[in-house]
Amino acid sequence: MTTTTEAITVPLRTADGGTNGTVELPATDFGRQVNVALIHQVVTAQLAAARQGTHATKTRGDVRGGGKKPYKQKGTGRARQGSLRAPQFTGGGTVHGPQPRDYSQRTPKKMKAAALRGALSDRVRHERLHVVEGMAIGEAPSTKTAVKLLSTLSGRKNVLVVLTRDDEVSAKSLRNIAGVHVLPADQLNTYDVVKSDDIVFTRAALDAFVAGPPKGRSATAVAAESEGSTL
């Protein structure tokens, strides 16, 4: 998958809606060529993995009763029957019904990473990726400030905001806003990027995403260690 060599810059927005210079986005993460087929495959696998697969129907062997022959074999003028739990009877078993199964699909890590970066690159090309210093002014959470800032950045319905796990001020400012989905940087994924109209990174979250998980530790391990966070 090719990348662009041109520098990618976006404005760095402040919580009051102003601008404080620009932020350079690494071309390796945000300048990728979009592979729609790859993104579709990864999103399909992610949705499949989210299925519980606990659906089940009873076959005629699982339905209670039916051990006695309903009526004699011959002389009634009716079709011969051996059990009232056969599929043709009300309350009988189901033929070829769904049974518990695992829907998960194996997706290599490199494919997931490439799909995510391709989706982010698409948002950058359409000017739907934004970077902000924070979602509130000062140390106190403010939903009003966050709503005003998001309306300035985008008037679209679904917005994904990416934060660091220790950014409680921004998380509390955003948690009651309809249409806003909040994710920590180490849980950013292709599906949430694709289903969102705009992506908003805080500066700290952008740096954390670009840096990736600490060497020798996966994002899953980092997330497990941070369990109990407000995000």
Side-chain angles (χ1 to χ4, degrees):
M1 182 174 290
T2 60
T3 60
T4 180
T5 56
E6 299 179 359
I8 305 171
T9 58
V10 295
L12 176 61
R13 308 299 293 268
T14 58
D16 59 5
T19 304
N20 184 17
T22 59
V23 177
E24 185 170 336
L25 304 177
T28 53
D29 294 320
F30 299 95
R32 297 266 184 162
Q33 180 179 350
V34 181
N35 187 333
V36 178
L38 175 61
I39 292 175
H40 178 271
Q41 181 178 346
V42 171
V43 169
T44 299
Q46 186 174 343
L47 292 176
R51 298 186 65 175
Q52 289 184 330
T54 55
H55 44 42
T57 55
K58 292 183 178 181
T59 64
R60 62 183 297 171
D62 299 321
V63 180
R64 184 177 180 181
K68 181 182 178 181
K69 191 173 178 66
Y71 46 82
K72 64 181 183 178
Q73 179 84 345
K74 297 178 178 294
T76 65
R78 303 172 65 184
R80 54 194 175 188
Q81 302 292 343
S83 171
L84 287 175
R85 298 289 77 93
Q88 67 268 27
F89 289 108
T90 301
T94 301
V95 180
H96 305 308
Q99 295 296 323
R101 55 165 291 190
D102 180 13
Y103 283 94
S104 62
Q105 304 174 17
R106 180 183 176 277
T107 309
K109 292 180 180 179
K110 288 186 178 181
M111 290 178 60
K112 293 180 182 179
L116 174 58
R117 283 158 175 75
L120 290 172
S121 300
D122 178 72
R123 290 293 183 264
V124 171
R125 289 190 182 93
H126 292 86
E127 298 182 353
R128 293 193 177 190
L129 188 144
H130 317 277
V131 183
V132 299
E133 290 183 339
M135 301 305 301
I137 301 174
E139 300 299 324
S142 174
T143 301
K144 181 178 180 180
T145 301
V147 170
K148 185 176 180 180
L149 175 58
L150 292 178
S151 64
T152 302
L153 297 175
S154 168
R156 301 180 182 91
K157 183 178 179 180
N158 298 311
V159 179
L160 172 64
V161 182
V162 186
L163 307 175
T164 55
R165 288 185 174 272
D166 58 356
D167 191 355
E168 295 186 6
V169 174
S170 295
K172 291 179 179 179
S173 300
L174 295 164
R175 63 185 176 184
N176 292 324
I177 305 177
V180 174
H181 183 48
V182 181
L183 274 181
D186 53 49
Q187 288 188 357
L188 188 60
N189 59 86
T190 307
Y191 172 68
D192 284 312
V193 171
V194 169
K195 76 172 186 177
S196 300
D197 298 319
D198 282 78
I199 316 296
V200 179
F201 280 87
T202 62
R203 179 62 185 269
L206 178 64
D207 293 340
F209 172 74
V210 172
K215 188 175 182 180
R217 294 158 62 201
S218 65
T220 304
V222 174
E225 292 177 5
S226 303
E227 188 175 357
S229 166
T230 56
L231 296 183

